[in-house]
Amino acid sequence: MKAVSRFKLYITAFILCITAVVLSMYAPTVYAENNNVSEESTTVTITANGKNFIYKDTKIVPSDFTVAEQIENRRINEPLDKKLELTDVYLSHGADYKTALDVCFPLLKRTVAQAADYLYISPADAYVKASDGKVTVISEKQGRILNENKLYAAIYCVLKYSGGGNVKAYTDRVEPKVTESELRNELYLRGFYTTDFSGSTADRAHNVRLAVKKTDGAVISPGETLSFNGTVGPRTAENGFKTAKIIIDGKYTDGIGGGVCQASTAVYNASLSAGLHCAANAHSICPSYCPAGLDAMISSASDLLITNTTTHNIYITSKTSGGKATVYVYGEKPEFTVTPESVITGTVPYETVEQTDNEGKYFDADAVKGDRLLVTPGKEGCKSETYLVYRKNGVIHSRVKIRENEYKSLPRVIAVAP
């Protein structure tokens, strides 16, 4: 009996010794791990499209008494469980996750903002490119934005149930304001006009082409007015224009930018046929490149103004080829087709003027006195009225007078030998 008791005692002692050895081996390690957890900050890693943004819940050192009081009231420097208790109070009173977490974790929003900036892609609206007589729609692009509600909810859960960890950032699509399908409704060809400058001098033809090109791609928003002068710019050598014939006070003379009025007239007529409101002035003499009452004289004191009276953008584009320029006007489909109409209501006769050629511009020294030479043929002036004819389904709906003009005549000039 004694032998059995002694044997049990030996066995018990042996087990105690083994236990002590095991504890001596593992106890320091366990203590060290627990100690490290208590010293480390709570960490949340936000993974945003493959990139990590790390938030560490570090203590905040107050800069003054007011800050210290806020830190204490909001439990900012207290252990995680105490902070989450206050967070839950705010959530129970109806606060969202972002507001509730911001009370005890004020620096968290900085990390979230970094992830938000990284993820954000601005949406791109569809737009119309008008060039070289054509209009093209450039498709819209969707944007991307961080879904803050989902992210803050995920952060709360990982703090509440894991004491920290990894969360994934989700995004929402941001739709553009203007879509390609919407712009397709703005691309109806409302009007166009072709002008022929093939008989012009090289410099004048250059000016017509340049002025037309400067209007190519112009956009007029609803209710806005386009200024031809503002679009084309000054008729100067610095702006690319050359010297050619211009009309001043009923006479042809050389001037920089000669031919620009032919370009403005093409824009004017295209805009009239597009049903837009236009304000233009006439030349003193009726130009040969358009009917009476359908010219648009441009100078530093005279402008062509085109107002968009529709509910969508108006696009002006143009093309020049083979001595001709065509201006196209696109926009929403109009209710009526519009046709400009010129009506001659009277003529202004020209007078004949004889000039003695004392300077020898037209006759040699051996010319017979009294010989005559026609220098310029006379050209009648005219009176005109301009109408816009509105049609629907081919039937005239109305006829509206928009202008009355009177153009001067050009004298018939005869040189006489002295």
Side-chain angles (χ1 to χ4, degrees):
M1 195 70 182
K2 290 182 179 180
V4 173
S5 298
R6 191 178 294 115
F7 177 75
K8 289 182 177 180
L9 181 62
Y10 289 155
I11 292 299
T12 302
F14 177 77
I15 292 173
L16 290 172
C17 288
I18 294 299
T19 303
V21 172
V22 172
L23 289 175
S24 66
M25 293 173 60
Y26 288 99
T29 303
V30 173
Y31 173 79
E33 289 177 356
N34 289 337
N35 189 49
N36 287 339
V37 171
S38 64
E39 290 181 355
E40 287 183 354
S41 300
T42 299
T43 301
V44 175
T45 300
I46 302 171
T47 301
N49 198 30
K51 185 173 181 178
N52 292 332
F53 296 86
I54 300 174
Y55 165 73
K56 289 186 177 181
D57 187 32
T58 56
K59 291 185 176 182
I60 298 177
V61 179
S63 57
D64 53 43
F65 175 79
T66 302
V67 175
E69 186 177 29
Q70 281 289 315
I71 290 174
E72 182 179 355
N73 292 339
R74 294 167 61 176
R75 302 185 186 181
I76 292 173
N77 287 341
E78 291 192 19
L80 179 61
D81 58 340
K82 297 295 183 183
K83 298 170 76 166
L84 290 173
E85 285 180 3
L86 185 56
T87 300
D88 287 339
V89 171
Y90 275 84
L91 289 173
S92 68
H93 284 81
D96 56 34
Y97 287 106
K98 179 180 180 180
T99 303
L101 287 171
D102 187 56
V103 175
C104 301
F105 305 88
L107 300 182
L108 175 61
K109 57 189 174 186
R110 294 184 183 179
T111 306
V112 173
Q114 291 172 354
D117 289 343
Y118 176 74
L119 289 172
Y120 180 72
I121 297 177
S122 176
D125 289 341
Y127 65 95
V128 174
K129 181 180 180 182
S131 177
D132 198 28
K134 300 178 182 178
V135 288
T136 306
V137 179
I138 308 302
S139 299
E140 72 275 10
K141 293 182 180 179
Q142 290 181 335
R144 183 177 69 186
I145 192 171
L146 171 69
N147 188 318
E148 284 194 345
N149 292 332
K150 285 186 178 180
L151 179 58
Y152 276 104
I155 292 173
Y156 170 79
C157 289
V158 81
L159 289 174
K160 179 78 172 179
Y161 302 109
S162 302
N166 296 328
V167 294
K168 183 178 179 180
Y170 291 91
T171 58
D172 293 328
R173 293 186 303 181
V174 181
E175 300 295 336
K177 295 179 180 179
V178 182
T179 65
E180 179 180 354
S181 60
E182 293 171 341
L183 291 182
R184 291 290 178 190
N185 296 326
E186 300 182 8
L187 301 184
Y188 185 86
L189 179 58
R190 295 175 62 98
F192 68 94
Y193 185 82
T194 300
T195 187
D196 189 336
F197 58 92
S198 58
S200 299
T201 64
D203 287 346
R204 188 181 185 282
H206 165 83
N207 291 339
V208 175
R209 284 192 295 267
L210 179 59
V212 168
K213 183 178 179 181
K214 287 179 181 289
T215 64
D216 187 25
V219 180
I220 315 175
S221 301
E224 292 192 350
T225 298
L226 177 139
S227 161
F228 185 90
N229 278 339
T231 302
V232 173
R235 269 69 66 195
T236 61
E238 291 76 15
N239 197 25
F241 291 101
K242 298 182 178 181
T243 299
K245 292 294 183 182
I246 60 176
I247 301 174
I248 296 180
D249 194 25
K251 297 180 180 179
Y252 286 97
T253 184
D254 288 335
I256 295 179
V260 170
C261 290
Q262 187 166 354
S264 61
T265 295
V267 174
Y268 175 58
N269 280 269
S271 300
L272 286 178
S273 64
L276 304 179
H277 181 271
C278 303
N281 296 309
H283 293 81
S284 52
I285 352 177
C286 186
S288 59
Y289 49 74
C290 71
L294 287 173
D295 56 326
M297 190 268 290
I298 294 297
S299 69
S300 58
S302 178
D303 199 0
L304 165 62
L305 301 176
I306 304 168
T307 301
N308 180 2
T309 53
T310 75
T311 59
H312 290 78
N313 284 345
I314 288 293
Y315 304 94
I316 297 177
T317 181
S318 58
K319 183 177 182 178
T320 58
S321 177
K324 293 183 179 181
T326 303
V327 177
Y328 304 88
V329 179
Y330 290 86
E332 66 182 10
K333 187 175 181 178
E335 182 180 3
F336 302 99
T337 59
V338 183
T339 305
E341 182 182 89
S342 172
V343 177
I344 302 299
T345 59
T347 59
V348 179
Y350 63 83
E351 61 179 358
T352 299
V353 178
E354 293 188 355
Q355 298 175 345
T356 302
D357 185 26
N358 293 319
E359 298 178 358
K361 293 175 62 177
Y362 305 104
F363 295 98
D364 295 331
D366 57 351
V368 177
K369 182 178 180 180
D371 282 351
R372 284 169 168 73
L373 177 67
L374 179 63
V375 177
T376 56
K379 180 182 179 181
E380 285 186 334
C382 69
K383 298 177 182 180
S384 69
E385 294 178 351
T386 306
Y387 295 85
L388 295 181
V389 181
Y390 294 82
R391 290 181 174 87
K392 189 171 185 178
N393 299 324
V395 178
I396 294 179
H397 177 269
S398 60
R399 189 167 177 264
V400 180
K401 183 165 68 174
I402 61 170
R403 285 173 58 169
E404 287 187 10
N405 297 112
E406 181 174 341
Y407 297 93
K408 294 180 179 180
S409 60
L410 289 175
R412 181 169 179 260
V413 178
I414 296 176
V416 181

